[in-house]
Amino acid sequence: MSRCRIWAVPVAALALAACAGGGLDRSSTEACDALAAWSAAGSPADQRAEVTERVGDLLGQSDTTPLTDPYERFRDTREEDLDYAAVVEAGANVLRACGDHGWERPEG
């Protein structure tokens, strides 16, 4: 019977690790926070280049992130080609992806 207990802990740890696999690492979480701050400030057009660079740098520090595709769509959405609402919507899509992977907006 003690053999069963010995294996119970590693099995539980593996199960928890599998569940945690869908979460975001620190760099990706900080990228979500930076984009959320820009969004909360009203998505100012004059700050878009700065936030795009900051989020890109943070995601570049991540070993793997599920945010790469939505971020690239945000980065590549050009207000010259579309209206600025498309840029804001692309940013909102990144934040939705953040939430889909367990991120929660900072309170404040």
Side-chain angles (χ1 to χ4, degrees):
M1 190 175 248
S2 63
R3 285 184 180 171
C4 292
R5 283 187 230 155
I6 292 171
W7 290 105
V9 172
V11 169
L14 287 173
L16 288 173
C19 290
L24 299 175
D25 62 14
R26 182 194 53 77
S27 296
S28 296
T29 299
E30 288 181 19
C32 293
D33 292 344
L35 193 58
W38 175 76
S39 176
S43 307
D46 63 335
Q47 295 176 11
R48 181 185 181 218
E50 181 182 331
V51 77
T52 301
E53 183 178 346
R54 174 81 176 128
V55 170
D57 288 347
L58 287 164
L59 293 179
Q61 295 173 23
S62 177
D63 292 331
T64 179
T65 181
L67 305 177
T68 301
D69 289 340
Y71 164 74
E72 288 175 351
R73 285 190 291 278
F74 169 70
R75 179 196 66 203
D76 296 342
T77 301
R78 304 282 178 221
E79 54 268 21
E80 298 87 35
D81 301 332
L82 304 164
D83 63 15
Y84 197 68
V87 172
V88 173
E89 180 60 27
N93 288 336
V94 178
L95 291 176
R96 275 191 281 285
C98 291
D100 290 347
H101 294 282
W103 173 82
E104 294 182 18
R105 283 186 185 266
E107 301 207 14

